[in-house]
Amino acid sequence: MFFGTDAADPGTERANTARRFTEYARVWFPAHSPLYAEWAEGVASDDGLLDLIRRLPPDKQQPNLVFAAARFLGCPDDSFPVLAEFLRGRWDEVAAELAVRRTQTNEPARCATLLPVLSRIQRETGKPLALVELGPSAGLCLLPDRYAYQYDHGAVLGAENLASGAPLLACSTAGDPPLPDRLPEIASRQGVDLNPLDGADPETARWLKCLVWPGQTDRLARLTAALGVLTGHQRSAGMAPGGPVRLHRGDLLERVEPLVRAVPDEHTAVVLHSAVISYLPPEVRERFTELVRTLDCRWISNEGFFMDPSGSVPRERAGMFTLALDGVPLAYTGQHGAELHWVPGGHWPEDGQQI
């Protein structure tokens, strides 16, 4: 299967693809998956593989997506030469899989970095939270009240959830963040995704597990447990607090406004997203930012870049996300939820304040 054209200069395209894989090999992968770092470094130095990958649509060239598709089709977690042989021998299958797949990493542990913000919003408003997640994948981050948490080896928050098989989400902190002492009350759980996933479907669950990077055994165990929580929650949604996880297929720019406007006055609408907006073209990001600022909601962004360049802290920290509320930067976070570094001197925005 062939994607793209050779209209652009092949050498330039190859160099751009190599830079992308090199960045992942040296910034995003090393601390989390040495094997993926090795694979990405190998691809960046292999002109033949670069020529195959550069022909993919730009949004399909992401290293962890390419690697996940190979693993989904049976590539073992072995050395780079094994990966290279697999990609060359079965490229048509890999390309076909990439055509229908997205990264859609559903990392429940990110709830540990979102929870302090969610809990404080509820404490300040005194209202249950109506969550609207953008790019929710299977919706695992719409269940923050159904997990258990442990910050800096302290007391476990939500320990009662462990009995039902919930994962324990551990997070180390720095900079004195406002850690919660109770789980937030969730009024509703909705999400908008171009390709919402059914976490109860075995093949979908297998794809989500292939998106976990090799060597991250704890992360894989958390994902498996969270999928179990989601399945159980959906089955008992009629009685479960906050109701079922409802995922809507569509474009976030078209769907987010009506979802927020439908939230009743007795609830606080919270629009949130993690590692989603960074995949959009810059002009779409700008349109989204303009739109969300007009809505009657609180806005939590947790992305690999700061959503608003007017902030008072550095826009990026290599290998980490920037957590912001209503455009105000609050913390740097580990991309998979294990770290929360509160910004020294950072201030909490008043309700509705934006910068």
Side-chain angles (χ1 to χ4, degrees):
M1 182 173 292
F2 181 84
F3 295 89
T5 69
D6 285 317
D9 175 59
T12 299
E13 288 186 340
R14 188 185 306 119
N16 290 338
T17 305
R19 278 194 292 272
R20 188 174 198 179
F21 276 77
T22 297
E23 178 188 4
Y24 273 76
R26 299 178 184 179
V27 176
W28 296 106
F29 288 151
H32 305 283
S33 179
L35 180 62
Y36 265 13
E38 177 193 338
W39 282 8
E41 198 77 62
V43 169
S45 302
D46 189 309
D47 286 350
L49 292 180
L50 291 173
D51 280 334
L52 292 175
I53 295 169
R54 72 176 176 83
R55 292 184 170 91
L56 296 169
D59 63 339
K60 302 296 184 178
Q61 296 180 22
Q62 189 180 353
N64 44 323
L65 178 61
V66 174
F67 297 161
R71 296 172 73 213
F72 187 75
L73 291 169
C75 181
D77 293 344
D78 209 324
S79 63
F80 170 69
V82 173
L83 170 73
E85 181 179 0
F86 187 93
L87 290 178
R88 292 190 183 97
R90 300 182 61 180
W91 181 250
D92 284 352
E93 295 173 73
V94 173
E97 202 65 48
L98 288 168
V100 297
R101 298 288 183 182
R102 295 179 175 88
T103 49
Q104 294 188 271
T105 301
N106 212 179
E107 179 48 73
R110 288 177 183 149
C111 286
T113 56
L114 302 175
L115 192 71
V117 185
L118 292 171
S119 296
R120 184 154 175 177
I121 290 173
Q122 184 178 11
R123 187 166 66 248
E124 291 183 349
T125 64
K127 300 177 181 180
L129 307 181
L131 303 182
V132 178
E133 186 180 8
L134 309 180
S137 186
L140 298 182
C141 286
L142 286 166
L143 298 165
D145 56 330
R146 302 300 303 273
Y147 304 137
Y149 303 84
Q150 187 175 40
Y151 295 95
D152 302 316
H153 306 288
V156 175
L157 178 64
E160 65 276 11
N161 290 330
L162 295 174
S164 60
L168 176 61
L169 308 181
C171 181
S172 63
T173 74
D176 196 26
L179 296 179
D181 58 8
R182 67 184 66 182
L183 297 176
E185 182 181 354
I186 307 301
S188 60
R189 316 164 193 274
Q190 301 194 78
V192 179
D193 203 300
L194 289 174
N195 183 44
L197 300 179
D198 178 7
D201 174 68
E203 281 298 279
T204 298
R206 188 168 75 85
W207 169 249
L208 288 172
K209 292 174 183 179
C210 285
L211 289 171
V212 176
W213 301 350
Q216 296 184 321
T217 54
D218 290 345
R219 187 178 168 210
L220 183 60
R222 286 196 304 269
L223 173 64
T224 302
L227 287 168
V229 171
L230 175 68
T231 300
H233 180 89
Q234 296 297 77
R235 286 173 180 165
S236 61
M239 299 176 291
V245 172
R246 300 186 185 278
L247 304 181
H248 307 275
R249 184 181 301 276
D251 184 275
L252 63 89
L253 287 175
E254 297 175 356
R255 299 300 297 269
V256 65
E257 182 173 2
L259 287 175
V260 170
R261 294 193 184 282
V263 173
D265 291 341
E266 59 267 25
H267 301 154
T268 300
V270 179
V271 173
L272 67 152
H273 52 86
S274 289
V276 171
I277 306 300
S278 56
Y279 294 115
L280 300 179
E283 64 275 11
V284 180
R285 296 179 199 167
E286 185 176 347
R287 287 170 56 201
F288 164 72
T289 302
E290 293 173 353
L291 172 62
V292 75
R293 289 183 181 283
T294 69
L295 303 179
D296 184 15
C297 68
R298 306 307 297 271
W299 168 38
I300 302 174
S301 61
N302 188 43
E303 300 285 345
F305 64 95
F306 182 40
M307 293 291 297
D308 189 334
S310 63
S312 59
V313 296
R315 293 178 61 190
E316 298 178 1
R317 179 176 291 182
M320 301 193 79
F321 292 168
T322 298
L323 176 67
L325 175 63
D326 301 331
V328 177
L330 298 178
Y332 293 112
T333 67
Q335 57 183 309
H336 299 132
E339 299 175 71
L340 176 63
H341 298 254
W342 208 253
V343 175
H347 66 284
W348 186 269
E350 299 294 332
D351 187 13
Q353 174 192 354
Q354 298 175 335
I355 61 172

